[in-house]
Amino acid sequence: MNASDESMRKRSPNRGRILCVVVVGVWLVLAGRLVFLQSVKGPRLKRKVESQWASHEVLPARPGDIVDRTGRLLATTISVRSLYVVPAQIKEHWDVADRLAGVLGRDPKSVYERIAAHSDKQFLWVKRRLTDDQVAQIRELDLPHDTYGFREEFMRVYPQGKLAAHVLGIRDIDGHGRGGLEQSLDPLLAGRDGRRAVVRDARGHVIEVSRQITREPQHGKTVKLTIDAVIQLHAERALDKVMRDWKPTSACAIAMDPRTGGILAMASRPTFDPNRLEEVPEAAWKNHAIASIYEPGSTFKPFVVATALERGLIRADETFHCGHGEYRMGRRVLHDHHPYGELSVTDILVKSSNIGMAKIGERLTNQGLYETAVDFGFGRRTGIELPGELKGMLRPLQQWNSYSTGSIPMGQEIAVTPLQLISATSALASGGRQYAPHLIDQTTSTASSSPAMIVSDTIDPEIADWIVRVPMTEVVNRGTGKKAKSPDYSVFGKTGTAQKPDPETGGYSSQLHVSSFICGAPSENPRALVLVVVDEPSVGKTHYGGTIAAPAAAEILKQALNQLQERTIELATEPRLRR
Amino acid sequence: MYSRFAGAVIMIVLIASAGVHLEKRNFELRRSIGLQHYRLDVLQRRHALHRLKVQQLGAPARLIESLESGDLQVRLDLPPVHEVVAEWPAVKHPHTRN
């Protein structure tokens, strides 16, 4: 044994100890690291891992339907496929663009430029809302699977076309409600998207769809309206005829059930087809029934007479001398269309005498006239479930003067929306009780957020009945509204022919008019009210409401009464057997 | 000694086989449920399309001219139609018996 072996033997116990210490030390470090990773950083790492292989898929909520009072679909939703490409995966940009453009009927160059401009993107819409044929043809192109795909999307469809377009509004390509009920009821109709977890592999492909939905989609609710599609159709047709015959700048019609305030029809011209949004002219978006104001003219007179009667300032059997067509009020001289002498209260309304009304206005005074307008709901929104409703124009009483005493009773110096006017008239037609106009059927709608029906007792029931059954019925029987007369039932109504301000002189124009007519039937127990307003008719020289608006209103009223009567009967149609 | 060992191995194999069978069955059922959901989606899509088509064909705007010209007649003597409520098929595996 040499000296070196001896020294080795002496060192070996130290080496073993050192080795043990090193091994144990390494194990302790590893164990400590393991504990650190597991308990301290564990939750964070777990989330990181999950985010790498799991992602969330949106389960879109289906927007709810809108149906009319009989259940006809006015707006519904179908699912369609939209095409996207993955530009980053496309090797031959021109080849793909050319083949896709052929199927989609688009210019290959524009498709190519679009793909080439986003060549590093993982997602690019090519065309949304494809037809089933287009989907089949694209599949037949046999493009590489990782370069394109389809996504299911919901598309809003309006089966009745232009019918009630302004009431319904539209839902844009991203599913947001724009205008009409689509906008105001958007939270209710749109629902709430759901979510579901999916597991992806390293390349991002879905390998498993979790059965557990993290959030169930809440589909939109179905909303039932008070609108009747048949009455609406007749209103639309009547307005089309008015537009053809009188060529006005705009027109609108409203039909209403005065006993509930439910709107049976609301139409406006010009209009649009919500299924063809690319063809909508700018002027067609406006719903003139709620978003246009005009001086009501003679249609305002019954409210003044009703208030004067209720306050005992005039008697129903009283007569007024109408000065044979001229009456001086301070510095102002009022005129009637025809010279009248002594007129009863009924005849003042039947002949629409401005002088007679001015004399009643003098009894009421400005204070009484202002209160009349406020009581009947002018100067404030009706609260209908539509966006963009105007509140009209009712100046503060302090700004009224002696002119106002003569102007307000004949429907000047005040501006109203057609909806305000029909709502105010409904107070007379329903025995003094005024119901807030509404579009959502509050009795059967699944819409839980439908507003409560607001009722106000506006005028004494007996006076309201008298105004409807006597002067307003006589207006149709022998006055300015003869064209609305019907042999089947008694009609009441009031014509209005308001002069519009002349933009050049600032005074009232002798050429520009707003012709209107409001009517209802039957006079004994009104079931329907109809208002037609025609703005700036341009054909002919005389633009009386009784000539222009009354025939259209009478036609809508007739069809509305027929429809309301027939609703209780089961109807069916069958093709007539041809001989 | 050997028989105990063999028994244990056989037991382990049997348990594993049962587990594999159950797993396989589980996957089959999941696939079946997935297919039913897919079919339900397709049926609901078709239902929405058919409903839309019916409403378009029966739209008052489309029928009114035919009614006014007399090509279509209104009949009032038909008995009321009772709505037939169809139930969605329950999720059912082809091998399960009622």
Side-chain angles (χ1 to χ4, degrees):
Chain A
M1 189 177 287
N2 53 30
S4 63
D5 289 343
E6 189 64 25
S7 66
M8 285 271 288
R9 206 177 295 124
K10 281 180 184 172
R11 273 183 291 174
S12 61
N14 284 343
R15 271 191 191 172
R17 233 173 275 133
I18 290 167
L19 192 67
C20 268
V21 169
V22 169
V23 168
V24 169
V26 168
W27 273 104
L28 281 175
V29 168
L30 286 175
R33 178 68 180 163
L34 208 63
V35 169
F36 177 73
L37 288 175
Q38 197 68 31
S39 53
V40 181
K41 286 187 81 178
R44 206 190 323 161
L45 289 171
K46 195 179 170 191
R47 278 197 298 275
K48 195 175 176 183
V49 168
E50 278 177 358
S51 71
Q52 284 174 352
W53 59 261
S55 63
H56 283 96
E57 185 185 53
V58 174
L59 301 172
R62 180 183 182 275
D65 294 339
I66 302 178
V67 297
D68 83 341
R69 65 194 318 220
T70 58
R72 284 188 192 88
L73 269 182
L74 298 175
T76 189
T77 305
I78 57 169
S79 62
V80 289
R81 290 190 183 90
S82 294
L83 173 69
Y84 68 88
V85 291
V86 186
Q89 299 289 339
I90 299 174
K91 290 182 182 116
E92 301 289 334
H93 285 181
W94 172 256
D95 178 53
V96 171
D98 187 41
R99 290 159 76 184
L100 285 177
V103 172
L104 301 174
R106 286 170 57 177
D107 176 27
K109 198 179 164 197
S110 70
V111 178
Y112 168 75
E113 283 171 356
R114 187 165 155 72
I115 294 174
H118 303 88
S119 57
D120 57 335
K121 293 270 173 68
Q122 293 290 330
F123 183 93
L124 182 71
W125 283 123
V126 177
K127 190 175 180 190
R128 297 173 80 173
R129 300 178 173 182
L130 301 168
T131 63
D132 288 347
D133 287 344
Q134 285 175 322
V135 172
Q137 285 174 28
I138 289 167
R139 284 193 171 133
E140 282 170 12
L141 293 176
D142 207 20
L143 297 169
H145 287 297
D146 55 350
T147 60
Y148 80 105
F150 296 104
R151 255 191 204 177
E152 293 257 342
E153 287 192 296
F154 285 124
M155 185 173 85
R156 202 65 161 164
V157 185
Y158 302 86
Q160 313 289 339
K162 291 180 180 178
L163 213 69
H166 290 96
V167 172
L168 298 175
I170 59 158
R171 196 158 281 274
D172 66 17
I173 197 160
D174 294 317
H176 302 298
R178 304 272 181 234
L181 292 172
E182 293 276 29
Q183 182 179 328
S184 59
L185 301 181
D186 195 37
L188 198 71
L189 288 167
R192 189 171 168 223
D193 291 344
R195 277 167 58 141
R196 173 167 67 183
V198 291
V199 181
R200 295 179 187 275
D201 65 9
R203 293 184 173 183
H205 297 142
V206 175
I207 53 173
E208 190 185 346
V209 177
S210 171
R211 279 181 303 155
Q212 287 198 333
I213 295 173
T214 49
R215 195 173 74 200
E216 285 280 352
Q218 291 172 5
H219 297 301
K221 292 210 162 42
T222 294
V223 176
K224 188 172 186 179
L225 304 187
T226 55
I227 293 275
D228 187 301
V230 174
I231 300 173
Q232 179 73 31
L233 175 64
H234 287 291
E236 307 267 2
R237 285 177 18 131
L239 281 191
D240 284 337
K241 188 170 185 311
V242 166
M243 296 296 282
R244 275 195 310 273
D245 294 349
W246 300 100
K247 302 202 179 343
T249 54
S250 65
C252 69
I254 307 173
M256 184 187 198
D257 182 348
R259 300 171 307 172
T260 62
I263 300 294
L264 300 169
M266 182 185 279
S268 179
R269 288 291 179 280
T271 189
F272 61 94
D273 185 345
N275 295 311
R276 297 180 180 182
L277 296 178
E278 62 283 357
E279 299 169 8
V280 183
E282 196 58 37
W285 292 112
K286 192 172 185 180
N287 182 358
H288 292 279
I290 58 160
S292 283
I293 57 172
Y294 71 105
E295 288 189 339
S298 300
T299 50
F300 190 76
K301 290 173 180 171
F303 311 124
V304 176
V305 172
T307 309
L309 282 168
E310 190 183 48
R311 296 185 178 191
L313 300 170
I314 59 170
R315 294 190 321 275
D317 57 354
E318 197 174 344
T319 58
F320 290 82
H321 196 277
C322 294
H324 300 290
E326 268 191 19
Y327 178 60
R328 176 171 287 278
M329 285 183 79
R331 287 178 299 166
R332 185 183 185 187
V333 180
L334 292 178
H335 297 277
D336 273 334
H337 291 295
H338 303 285
Y340 302 115
E342 205 73 29
L343 286 181
S344 66
V345 173
T346 299
D347 282 342
I348 287 173
L349 286 176
V350 170
K351 313 238 180 246
S352 207
S353 165
N354 291 337
I355 294 170
M357 286 308 302
K359 289 193 169 181
I360 296 173
E362 283 178 324
R363 301 237 186 130
L364 262 174
T365 69
N366 281 357
Q367 177 76 31
L369 289 169
Y370 182 80
E371 285 167 5
T372 302
V374 170
D375 287 350
F376 278 93
F378 297 108
R380 61 177 185 270
R381 293 180 186 89
T382 65
I384 197 166
E385 308 92 334
L386 287 175
E389 184 192 8
L390 298 181
K391 59 181 184 180
M393 194 200 74
L394 179 66
R395 291 181 301 139
L397 184 59
Q398 297 78 10
Q399 293 177 16
W400 290 27
N401 53 31
S402 58
Y403 265 59
S404 308
T405 319
S407 299
I408 295 284
M410 62 172 96
Q412 292 180 344
E413 285 192 30
I414 181 174
V416 305
T417 65
L419 185 67
Q420 282 177 330
L421 186 70
I422 197 169
S423 173
T425 309
S426 77
L428 298 175
S430 62
R433 180 162 281 195
Q434 189 172 356
Y435 295 88
H438 57 269
L439 283 160
I440 300 176
D441 189 333
Q442 288 148 347
T443 54
T444 54
S445 185
T446 53
S448 56
S449 66
S450 57
M453 193 183 286
I454 299 166
V455 185
S456 58
D457 291 319
T458 306
I459 199 85
D460 183 84
E462 282 184 22
I463 290 168
D465 282 346
W466 182 81
I467 293 275
V468 165
R469 279 189 287 104
V470 183
M472 289 183 77
T473 304
E474 290 298 303
V475 166
V476 175
N477 288 340
R478 59 184 175 88
T480 49
K482 278 183 207 156
K483 291 200 174 178
K485 200 172 174 181
S486 168
D488 302 323
Y489 42 81
S490 59
V491 181
F492 64 95
K494 189 73 194 82
T495 56
T497 312
Q499 291 172 293
K500 289 187 77 175
D502 190 327
E504 289 176 6
T505 64
Y508 281 109
S509 165
S510 58
Q511 305 293 323
L512 306 175
H513 296 96
V514 177
S515 311
S516 58
F517 185 68
I518 186 157
C519 61
S523 302
E524 303 76 30
N525 181 23
R527 290 206 62 194
L529 265 183
V530 175
L531 169 67
V532 171
V533 180
V534 184
D535 189 17
E536 292 185 25
S538 59
V539 174
K541 286 183 182 172
T542 54
H543 299 142
Y544 294 124
T547 313
I548 293 172
E555 176 62 19
I556 298 169
L557 182 65
K558 178 182 150 194
Q559 299 295 348
L561 290 174
N562 283 345
Q563 182 63 15
L564 292 173
Q565 215 166 18
E566 285 174 7
R567 263 199 70 215
T568 50
I569 306 169
E570 287 280 350
L571 291 181
T573 57
E574 65 162 16
R576 169 182 273 184
L577 294 173
R578 293 185 184 279
R579 289 177 185 171
Chain B
M1 174 79 180
Y2 284 112
S3 61
R4 279 186 194 168
F5 179 71
V9 168
I10 290 167
M11 183 69 81
I12 289 167
V13 168
L14 283 176
I15 291 169
S17 301
V20 167
H21 178 74
L22 283 173
E23 188 75 3
K24 202 175 162 188
R25 185 73 193 281
N26 183 27
F27 276 124
E28 275 175 18
L29 285 170
R30 281 169 68 173
R31 213 170 25 245
S32 179
I33 290 167
L35 190 64
Q36 290 279 20
H37 278 295
Y38 172 72
R39 284 179 181 157
L40 189 61
D41 283 348
V42 172
L43 286 172
Q44 283 175 336
R45 188 165 175 251
R46 281 191 198 162
H47 175 254
L49 284 171
H50 289 156
R51 189 159 165 250
L52 171 66
K53 195 73 188 163
V54 166
Q55 292 286 333
Q56 283 172 333
L57 289 171
R62 191 175 165 275
L63 296 179
I64 195 159
E65 283 175 9
S66 306
L67 283 166
E68 284 176 349
S69 66
D71 289 342
L72 278 178
Q73 277 186 320
V74 178
R75 274 187 60 181
L76 305 174
D77 56 342
L78 285 182
V81 179
H82 296 287
E83 194 180 351
V84 179
V85 180
E87 290 180 6
W88 292 110
V91 174
K92 187 179 167 188
H93 188 257
H95 302 303
T96 22
R97 287 181 186 173
N98 287 327

